[in-house]
Amino acid sequence: MTSEPPATDNNPPSIQRIRRPTTQETVVEALQQAILTGHFKPGEHLRQDAIAEQMGVSRVPVREALNVLRAEGQLDYSPHRGYRVSRLSQEEVEEINIIREMLEGEAIRRAVEKLDEDVIDDLVVLNRQLRKAHRNNDLTTFIRLNQEFHFLIFQQAGLPRLMQMIEGLWRVANGYRSGVFGNTANRERMLEEHDALIEALEAGDAERAVVIMENHRNSAADTLLSLTSPEDDT
């Protein structure tokens, strides 16, 4: 077995290069955050020049970022009206919920077989942090941690393509998350359901975990449906 030669002036140690995010990536992240937190609401039009001026960048990376979000389903585009935050019809909300039920149920069943104590501990910590964000009414942190909580479970299934599909379904509803999580009673209920889910996962009870997640998701979908209006169906 060969060892790496010691560092000398002629043989410096290898240094991992840190890749900085591109301007486009920075704009994408900023716009995603603005949509998640309700700064840009479903149906609201986005002006490229205003975004570019506010962020101190040219219109090119803004246009590229808008196209990325459009491809992800977070924005709609029409030639005469430009970009706007995607709106969901009630039929689309129900369809998304049905597909999520199938995909996330399978992810949980497979994840239970692979969960270890470290993952359970991480879920407990995340839910504790969620409670703190809830008490502080820190909606931005609550939304981020909630996604981390759920995706940590799904990732244990070890199915990257399944994970990509779930992530895509979550993204298309990002414009409504501030409305769903902005309700204090909703957040309190979600935290209790998280506790029950952790208990089921720790016990290795996959079917109970699936049922808890289904009820958890349906409650959020009901709230999301209440946020849609007849004009969203046109």
Side-chain angles (χ1 to χ4, degrees):
M1 179 177 179
T2 59
S3 59
E4 186 174 333
T8 64
D9 290 341
N10 297 324
N11 183 32
S14 59
I15 301 176
Q16 184 177 3
R17 183 176 181 180
I18 299 175
R19 190 185 74 85
R20 299 184 182 278
T22 64
T23 303
Q24 175 192 323
E25 290 170 336
T26 300
V27 177
V28 167
E29 184 177 350
L31 292 178
Q32 285 176 331
Q33 191 67 16
I35 293 171
L36 271 172
T37 56
H39 179 76
F40 293 136
K41 301 185 183 303
E44 182 172 349
H45 289 272
L46 305 186
R47 293 178 51 225
Q48 295 184 46
D49 53 349
I51 295 170
E53 181 179 355
Q54 184 176 359
M55 296 196 65
V57 300
S58 71
R59 293 184 61 178
V60 173
V62 173
R63 183 170 60 250
E64 293 171 344
L66 292 172
N67 283 327
V68 169
L69 296 180
R70 177 191 179 191
E72 292 180 348
Q74 297 187 65
L75 298 178
D76 295 324
Y77 174 80
S78 62
H80 302 294
R81 304 187 69 181
Y83 296 89
R84 70 175 185 176
V85 181
S86 297
R87 295 186 302 185
L88 295 174
S89 69
Q90 293 192 350
E91 288 78 8
E92 288 171 325
V93 172
E94 292 169 351
E95 180 184 18
I96 289 170
N97 199 43
I98 290 171
I99 300 172
R100 280 185 57 189
E101 177 181 345
M102 293 186 290
L103 298 182
E104 293 177 7
E106 183 62 22
I108 289 174
R109 290 185 180 94
R110 291 177 177 266
V112 168
E113 302 172 359
K114 303 177 181 180
L115 285 172
D116 57 29
E117 292 183 3
D118 289 340
V119 175
I120 296 296
D121 290 343
D122 288 342
L123 291 172
V124 170
V125 170
L126 281 170
N127 212 35
R128 187 181 303 129
Q129 293 172 341
L130 276 161
R131 289 187 186 281
K132 180 179 179 181
H134 167 60
R135 289 193 301 270
N136 294 336
N137 202 31
D138 184 350
L139 193 58
T140 300
T141 301
F142 192 94
I143 292 172
R144 175 179 59 80
L145 292 174
N146 181 72
Q147 180 164 312
E148 288 183 20
F149 178 92
H150 287 276
F151 283 13
L152 177 59
I153 298 171
F154 302 147
Q155 288 166 353
Q156 306 311 308
L159 299 172
R161 289 183 178 82
L162 178 64
M163 192 67 204
Q164 289 175 359
M165 289 187 282
I166 293 174
E167 289 174 346
L169 291 169
W170 277 59
R171 278 195 297 267
V172 297
N174 275 349
Y176 294 88
R177 296 209 182 280
S178 62
V180 173
F181 294 112
N183 184 293
T184 300
N186 280 348
R187 295 201 303 267
E188 291 175 348
R189 172 185 48 76
M190 291 174 185
L191 291 168
E192 293 175 358
E193 290 169 345
H194 284 181
D195 287 334
L197 181 59
I198 292 172
E199 290 180 4
L201 293 172
E202 189 171 20
D205 191 338
E207 293 310 313
R208 181 178 165 220
V210 168
V211 170
I212 293 170
M213 181 68 82
E214 182 177 350
N215 293 335
H216 186 63
R217 184 176 49 250
N218 287 342
S219 295
D222 288 343
T223 302
L224 202 163
L225 283 169
S226 72
L227 299 173
T228 62
S229 61
E231 67 178 9
D232 294 327
D233 295 314
T234 62

